[in-house]
Amino acid sequence: MFRIPTITKNLLIINGIAFLATLVLQMRGIDLADIGGLHFFMADNFHLYQFISYLFLHANFMHILSNMFGLWMFGCVIENVWGPKKFLFYYITCGIGAGLLQEIAQFGQFYYTIAEQAPGIGFGELITVGHQLSHQLNAWTTIGASGAVYAVILAFGMTFPNERLFIIPFPFPIKAKWFVLGYVAIEFFSALGTSGDGVAHTAHLGGMLFGFLMIHYWNKHPNSGFDRSRGQQFFENLKRSFDQRQHNNSSQSSQRRNPNMHVEQGGSKEADMEYNARKRANQAEIDAILDKIRKSGYDSLTKEEKQKLFEASKQ
């Protein structure tokens, strides 16, 4: 059975508990989304801790379902490849980055709204007006893990760009890199539009932007503070699993060929030698593929090497 890695599992649990708490407290007249949601920085109810708390709050069931599905689908893979510490740092940092870009976008919106009524207004005067309207500005609140989840999707696309995904309603597989670029395009044009759909498209783009910058930096500085061996553990586990299965299959094959464990019959000893030689050659090929992943990353593999690794994992 597929095991959900620790950080991804805990993030799913925390988001689920926060959503249930929101529903329960709402019945008691307490708006958890107003307390923990990210307010505009000029609003009365703005607090710095909201840059983190807003990541665990959601507006409705479909909101949390879509975000948690994306986190589960892509987060499991990325955490297994990167390791828990790096994955958690990436997730939280991109979530904070998404909030920062949303704040900047809201400030721009606030400026243009006031400038329409008072052309030529200066920055100092704008701040004064913001303080005067601080209570009304509490209505600008952002909640949801979308910015961080979109960053995780970006990480998958950059780590496995040529992996094919089946996305409803398309009847054909789409490469991960085109899937991510499609998401970016949709969010970019949605952010430019004036539909007023209530979705923080700028926050989505902010999470992906911070994710792109971090991954680009890590690629340029592979020894930047995170233990790369933890990120390679996923492939080491795959290798150990392959070795164990090969050993079990070898034992079972030997017993089927000769239940009494004798090899005196004509030709059986030679067959065993040929089998062991093929096994060693196959193991050497798998070891070479895993070494290539450790040195150059999964995307450096050829199509044939990926297929070989995939077939080995099923044996």
Side-chain angles (χ1 to χ4, degrees):
M1 183 177 179
F2 182 72
R3 185 181 70 86
I4 302 177
T6 303
I7 298 301
T8 301
K9 179 176 65 177
N10 288 335
L11 287 173
L12 292 171
I13 292 173
I14 294 171
N15 276 275
I17 292 175
F19 182 69
L20 292 176
T22 301
L23 298 179
V24 172
L25 293 175
Q26 195 173 39
M27 293 187 291
R28 296 176 175 271
I30 301 174
D31 189 354
L32 191 59
D34 183 61
I35 298 173
L38 179 60
H39 289 273
F40 183 44
F41 69 91
M42 290 186 182
D44 280 341
N45 294 339
F46 169 76
H47 299 282
L48 285 176
Y49 68 80
Q50 294 169 354
F51 278 105
I52 294 179
S53 60
Y54 91 99
L55 290 170
F56 301 96
L57 301 172
H58 292 84
N60 50 55
F61 179 74
M62 289 306 300
H63 189 199
I64 188 174
L65 178 64
S66 61
N67 278 339
M68 295 304 100
F69 178 76
L71 175 60
W72 167 78
M73 183 175 182
F74 299 101
C76 289
V77 178
I78 296 302
E79 183 180 349
N80 277 326
V81 174
W82 283 357
K85 292 181 180 179
K86 184 175 181 178
F87 177 73
L88 180 61
F89 178 82
Y90 177 84
Y91 183 89
I92 296 298
T93 302
C94 290
I96 295 174
L100 287 172
L101 204 64
Q102 178 70 2
E103 291 285 319
I104 293 173
Q106 288 178 339
F107 179 76
Q109 183 180 351
F110 177 70
Y111 170 77
Y112 284 113
T113 300
I114 300 301
E116 286 180 354
Q117 303 176 19
I121 187 172
F123 181 79
E125 296 172 314
L126 185 66
I127 298 298
T128 301
V129 173
H131 284 302
Q132 294 173 348
L133 299 175
S134 58
H135 183 70
Q136 291 89 324
L137 291 174
N138 284 326
W140 282 359
T141 307
T142 304
I143 58 174
S146 300
V149 171
Y150 274 54
V152 173
I153 295 174
L154 174 78
F156 182 89
M158 293 182 68
T159 306
F160 308 102
N162 294 316
E163 291 303 304
R164 298 180 181 274
L165 305 173
F166 284 93
I167 307 297
I168 298 174
F170 300 106
F172 50 85
I174 301 175
K175 287 187 176 181
K177 59 184 176 182
W178 303 126
F179 173 70
V180 171
L181 287 175
Y183 252 122
V184 172
I186 291 173
E187 292 301 319
F188 178 75
F189 288 110
S190 297
L192 292 179
T194 57
S195 59
D197 56 5
V199 178
H201 298 289
T202 307
H204 300 172
L205 290 172
M208 299 180 89
L209 174 62
F210 271 73
F212 174 81
L213 294 175
M214 290 174 65
I215 293 173
H216 182 72
Y217 177 81
W218 286 335
N219 288 339
K220 293 289 186 181
H221 305 83
N223 298 317
S224 56
F226 287 100
D227 184 4
R228 295 185 67 190
S229 64
R230 295 303 299 272
Q232 298 162 4
Q233 187 176 2
F234 174 74
F235 298 104
E236 295 295 342
N237 290 338
L238 178 63
K239 181 177 182 299
R240 284 195 294 270
S241 176
F242 173 76
D243 291 341
Q244 183 63 36
R245 287 173 181 171
Q246 287 289 90
H247 176 73
N248 292 339
N249 289 340
S250 176
S251 300
Q252 292 172 4
S253 297
S254 297
Q255 291 177 5
R256 284 196 297 269
R257 286 195 302 271
N258 197 334
N260 296 319
M261 301 301 291
H262 294 300
V263 294
E264 288 97 2
Q265 294 87 349
S268 62
K269 185 174 182 180
E270 181 180 355
D272 283 346
M273 292 176 64
E274 292 177 355
Y275 171 80
N276 290 331
R278 288 196 304 271
K279 177 184 173 184
R280 286 193 297 269
N282 193 43
Q283 183 62 57
E285 187 175 358
I286 294 300
D287 290 343
I289 293 174
L290 293 172
D291 287 338
K292 186 175 181 180
I293 292 173
R294 284 191 290 269
K295 293 177 181 178
S296 306
Y298 180 82
D299 194 47
S300 65
L301 300 183
T302 65
K303 183 178 180 180
E304 290 75 18
E305 289 171 333
K306 291 180 181 179
Q307 183 64 28
K308 181 72 175 179
L309 191 63
F310 176 74
E311 291 173 354
S313 68
K314 297 192 299 182
Q315 293 178 358

